[in-house]
């Protein structure tokens, strides 16, 4: 049966309209940004509070005790060489004490020996003055003075023993200064002399305020 033109147009419009309504409903369902199942969590891990950190601060009272500096007589002896022009004065210091335990008030006994090197021994050398002074930074004292004429022409040495007086309370070191006034013959058997003064120093660290030796 052939429908009139106006009826056919109406039927097609109805079919098309129904189809579009179905498509619109499907698109609305599938393009929605809202999840179809379940709900989004409101507990974001990044927003959780950080655990508290406990920081321990060490007390200054726990600081290590001061350490005594090492000294030249910690091993018992030491040798110093003092160049005097054409020859050398060699000084040897030694002690039977335990120098690591020296304090300002402890007993300290040192041996000092001096001899001449780098010479043929044909010219006489004598010591006219041998002096030892002690300085603790607060006081200075004369420990020993020898005045005379002591022959140190090789192979003869000069030897002496010195006992150091108590230092100022709280002193951390002693500095010993050794002075030797030498008379050196100008030529073999000339019986004329020139004077040469040799100076040397020795520093002894002291144990103080609970310090420990190294």
């Amino acid at each position: 049966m052939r429908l009139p033109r106006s009826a056919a147009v109406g039927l097609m419009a109805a079919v098309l309209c129904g189809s579009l309504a179905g498509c619109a409903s499907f698109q609305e369902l599938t393009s929605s940004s809202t999840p179809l199942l379940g709900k989004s969590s409101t507990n974001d891990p990044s927003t959780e509070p950080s655990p508290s950190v406990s920081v321990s601060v060490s007390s200054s009272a726990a600081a290590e005790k001061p350490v005594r500096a090492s000294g030249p007589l910690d091993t018992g002896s030491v040798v110093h060489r003092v160049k005097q022009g054409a020859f050398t004065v060699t000084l040897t210091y030694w002690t039977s004490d335990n120098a690591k335990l020296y304090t300002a008030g402890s007993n300290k006994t040192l041996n000092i020996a001096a001899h001449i090197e780098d010479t043929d021994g044909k010219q006489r050398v004598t010591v006219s003055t041998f002096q030892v002074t002690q300085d603790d930074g607060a006081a200075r004292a004369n420990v020993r003075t020898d005045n005379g004429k002591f022959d140190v022409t090789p192979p003869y040495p000069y030897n002496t023993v010195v006992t150091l007086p108590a230092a100022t309370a709280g002193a951390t070191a002693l500095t010993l200064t050794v002075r030797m006034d030498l008379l050196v013959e100008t030529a073999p058997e000339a019986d004329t002399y020139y004077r040469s003064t040799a100076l040397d120093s020795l520093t002894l660290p002291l144990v103080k305020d609970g310090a420990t030796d190294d």
Side-chain angles (χ1 to χ4, degrees):
M1 180 177 67
R2 186 178 184 86
L3 295 176
R5 180 177 181 83
S6 58
V9 171
L11 179 61
M12 291 181 64
V15 173
L16 178 61
C17 182
S19 298
L20 290 175
C23 289
S25 177
F26 179 75
Q27 184 177 5
E28 180 181 352
L29 180 64
T30 57
S31 64
S32 172
S33 61
T34 303
L36 297 179
L37 298 175
K39 297 182 180 180
S40 61
S41 175
T42 58
N43 296 326
D44 188 348
S46 63
T47 62
E48 293 183 1
S50 300
S52 60
V53 178
S54 175
V55 179
S56 60
V57 180
S58 60
S59 171
S60 58
E64 294 183 359
K65 290 183 177 181
V67 177
R68 167 192 171 275
S70 60
L73 290 183
D74 287 359
T75 58
S77 65
V78 66
V79 176
H80 290 181
R81 289 179 171 81
V82 183
K83 188 68 176 176
Q84 293 294 114
F87 61 93
T88 300
V89 177
T90 300
L91 293 156
T92 302
Y93 304 87
W94 76 96
T95 183
S96 58
D97 302 334
N98 184 348
K100 293 182 179 181
L101 301 180
Y102 280 161
T103 64
S106 65
N107 295 324
K108 310 169 191 68
T109 302
L110 274 65
N111 297 271
I112 305 176
H115 68 274
I116 305 300
E117 293 182 348
D118 303 330
T119 181
D120 57 12
K122 294 180 180 180
Q123 295 165 263
R124 291 190 64 188
V125 182
T126 61
V127 177
S128 60
T129 302
F130 184 90
Q131 184 179 61
V132 181
T133 58
Q134 169 183 296
D135 190 341
D136 60 21
R140 186 179 177 88
N142 183 11
V143 176
R144 185 176 183 84
T145 299
D146 272 351
N147 291 314
K149 191 174 182 180
F150 310 100
D151 195 352
V152 289
T153 306
Y156 302 108
Y158 173 88
N159 292 285
T160 190
V161 178
V162 297
T163 300
L164 306 182
T168 304
T172 58
L174 293 178
T175 299
L176 304 181
T177 300
V178 175
R179 170 183 170 179
M180 291 182 67
D181 289 335
L182 303 169
L183 296 176
V184 184
E185 198 171 28
T186 57
E189 300 182 358
D191 203 24
T192 57
Y193 298 82
Y194 69 88
R195 180 171 172 168
S196 178
T197 298
L199 294 173
D200 191 38
S201 63
L202 182 74
T203 300
L204 304 176
L206 304 176
V207 179
K208 176 181 176 291
D209 296 337
T212 58
D213 57 51
D214 53 357

